[in-house]
Amino acid sequence: MLIPVIGNIMNIGCEKVLLMQNDLNLNYSEIVSTYVYKVGLSSGITDFSLSTAIGMFNSVINFSLLTTANLVSRKLSGSALF
Amino acid sequence: MQAFKNQSYRDKVFYIIILVILSLFFLAVLYPCIFVVSASFSSGTAVQAGKVVLWPVDVSLEGYRTVLNTPDVWTGYANSIFYTVVGTLINVCMTMVAAYCLSRNDLPGGNGLMLLFTFTMFFSGGLIPTYIVIRQLGMINTRWVLLLPGAIGVYNLIVARTFIRNSIPLELLEASQIDGCSDIKYFLRVVLPLSKAIVAVMVLFYGVGHWNAYFSAMIYLHRKELYPLTLFLRQILMSSQIDPGTVQDPEMQQRLQEMVGVIKYALIMVSMIPVLVVYPFVQRYFVTGVMIGSVKG
């Protein structure tokens, strides 16, 4: 069960954070998902390629964390997801 | 109490510490709820001045009166109910059908299909590719965009598939096949009536997800008549004002400016009420149903 969850470890989810953001706390509250949203959709100059690249990068990191966790689990306990 | 008295000393201390910590968490969670309820029943000036601490100050219903007199709120309500009911229907139908098909061991390519489904749990394109796909499918600014994408949640699919595999014995299928029952008839007449618990759990999860959804609506919908209630709530929370263009009466417009705080809390209460009303009726399924997809024995 931990292994699939690790696959989502970098996705905090943008909904709650987006609601609580304002100009004052932008320094600390800007996470990957809200930045992708800002660059890709909500600002005046939308840059699809940049935000797609960031999203892809995020997914790749998640996937590599997932395969690493799978490998570690197989080495340590013999049981693994795939 | 008798059972508590019979515990050893260390167990008692353990339980008391846990009780204290949980009580603190409970109060921390309870206070905002009480505050919202009290603030929604107070007058506008009291909320603005920050006088409302625990109980309503200057009890008045003006917050509710303003909120319920805004036509935007009623369109939002109708839309939210529409998306929740129709969306949950689509979700549950598609998930149950997929779960039944994937639970059968003799489905050709069943393992490959399950792999495809679970792959989407780990890896997704991200926000922008999804937006581009939906734009090319022509779903932007239509009602379908909140109903179709994400119609099957893979977690729910896995829970339902495990439930069907573990709770419905193969002998039932073999017996019905001997009697000449087709697969569809077996699904509709045997599997579905036996899966009422899992259907209730899915209705709960999908329903609450639809009622609370605002992000998809925010990025895909641009027409006000399609907005769910959550988007109006967000508008008010972000800018602390209802769009004055929708309010016809100039006197009402002026009163709006004085009452931004109360409107916020009254709107929160108004959008919470349907969920609170429905929840007790599905709660008994929730407690038994959450663990129902887990592996047995």
Side-chain angles (χ1 to χ4, degrees):
Chain A
M1 188 62 207
L2 184 66
I3 299 180
V5 173
I6 285 187
N8 277 331
I9 208 172
M10 296 272 290
N11 287 335
I12 307 181
C14 51
E15 308 212 341
K16 272 193 198 146
V17 181
L18 200 62
L19 281 178
M20 307 265 229
Q21 260 183 358
N22 54 46
D23 285 330
L24 293 174
N25 62 21
L26 215 50
N27 252 345
Y28 296 100
S29 71
E30 191 77 36
I31 63 174
V32 176
S33 315
T34 57
Y35 183 65
V36 163
Y37 171 66
K38 204 161 69 170
V39 165
L41 284 179
S42 83
S43 68
I45 324 161
T46 58
D47 191 355
F48 275 5
S49 54
L50 176 63
S51 68
T52 311
I54 298 175
M56 192 72 176
F57 185 59
N58 207 12
S59 293
V60 165
I61 291 186
N62 278 337
F63 196 64
S64 57
L65 276 174
L66 177 76
T67 41
T68 312
N70 196 42
L71 203 68
V72 166
S73 165
R74 183 177 295 130
K75 286 279 159 57
L76 285 184
S77 70
S79 73
L81 213 53
F82 38 78
Chain B
M1 267 319 267
Q2 195 55 40
F4 182 73
K5 285 199 176 97
N6 287 339
Q7 303 270 350
S8 67
Y9 175 68
R10 288 171 68 183
D11 276 341
K12 275 191 209 170
V13 170
F14 178 68
Y15 280 129
I16 291 181
I17 292 179
I18 297 256
L19 195 66
V20 167
I21 295 178
L22 281 182
S23 309
L24 288 174
F25 276 127
F26 174 63
L27 288 174
V29 172
L30 186 67
Y31 177 65
C33 295
I34 294 185
F35 179 74
V36 166
V37 175
S38 306
S40 66
F41 281 115
S42 309
S43 73
T45 42
V47 173
Q48 289 286 66
K51 280 199 235 149
V52 180
V53 174
L54 195 59
W55 303 117
V57 173
D58 298 338
V59 176
S60 80
L61 288 174
E62 54 183 26
Y64 286 103
R65 220 177 290 138
T66 318
V67 160
L68 295 176
N69 279 334
T70 321
D72 272 348
V73 170
W74 290 107
T75 24
Y77 234 117
N79 283 332
S80 274
I81 293 183
F82 173 77
Y83 292 136
T84 304
V85 169
V86 176
T88 310
L89 204 66
I90 294 179
N91 283 349
V92 169
C93 289
M94 291 184 67
T95 310
M96 281 311 290
V97 169
Y100 169 66
C101 295
L102 288 171
S103 73
R104 291 278 295 269
N105 284 325
D106 46 348
L107 179 73
N111 278 338
L113 277 176
M114 201 62 221
L115 195 66
L116 277 181
F117 275 117
T118 43
F119 187 66
T120 64
M121 270 205 298
F122 310 137
F123 199 86
S124 82
L127 183 62
I128 298 298
T130 315
Y131 183 82
I132 295 179
V133 165
I134 297 209
R135 189 176 65 181
Q136 287 177 339
L137 286 173
M139 285 205 284
I140 304 253
N141 246 346
T142 63
R143 285 192 188 273
W144 292 108
V145 75
L146 292 186
L147 304 173
L148 291 181
I152 296 188
V154 185
Y155 279 119
N156 294 323
L157 177 69
I158 292 181
V159 165
R161 182 188 77 141
T162 315
F163 175 81
I164 294 179
R165 266 205 181 142
N166 289 346
S167 305
I168 300 182
L170 202 57
E171 287 80 23
L172 267 178
L173 173 66
E174 289 169 357
S176 57
Q177 276 175 341
I178 289 177
D179 287 334
C181 179
S182 69
D183 283 320
I184 293 184
K185 206 166 201 164
Y186 177 69
F187 174 63
L188 289 174
R189 296 298 181 95
V190 179
V191 174
L192 271 188
L194 288 176
S195 320
K196 287 212 179 96
I198 205 76
V199 167
V201 168
M202 281 202 290
V203 163
L204 183 70
F205 281 152
Y206 283 129
V208 172
H210 275 295
W211 184 263
N212 287 338
Y214 82 92
F215 191 65
S216 304
M218 193 167 74
I219 53 180
Y220 295 125
L221 295 176
H222 305 300
R223 284 191 295 167
K224 268 225 167 120
E225 352 23 296
L226 300 177
Y227 279 5
L229 191 60
T230 40
L231 278 190
F232 292 120
L233 185 55
R234 177 184 166 269
Q235 249 174 15
I236 291 190
L237 288 176
M238 301 287 275
S239 60
S240 285
Q241 57 189 12
I242 296 184
D243 181 6
T246 62
V247 179
Q248 309 300 341
D249 189 3
E251 179 194 276
M252 179 87 70
Q253 219 165 319
Q254 198 220 339
R255 284 181 60 208
L256 272 180
Q257 298 301 106
E258 297 168 2
M259 293 201 312
V260 271
V262 196
I263 291 176
K264 211 160 56 174
Y265 297 115
L267 192 56
I268 293 177
M269 283 292 294
V270 157
S271 55
M272 268 205 315
I273 297 236
V275 181
L276 285 179
V277 162
V278 172
Y279 186 70
F281 297 107
V282 286
Q283 196 217 3
R284 59 190 176 113
Y285 293 111
F286 188 62
V287 173
T288 51
V290 167
M291 291 305 289
I292 219 163
S294 58
V295 176
K296 289 190 167 62

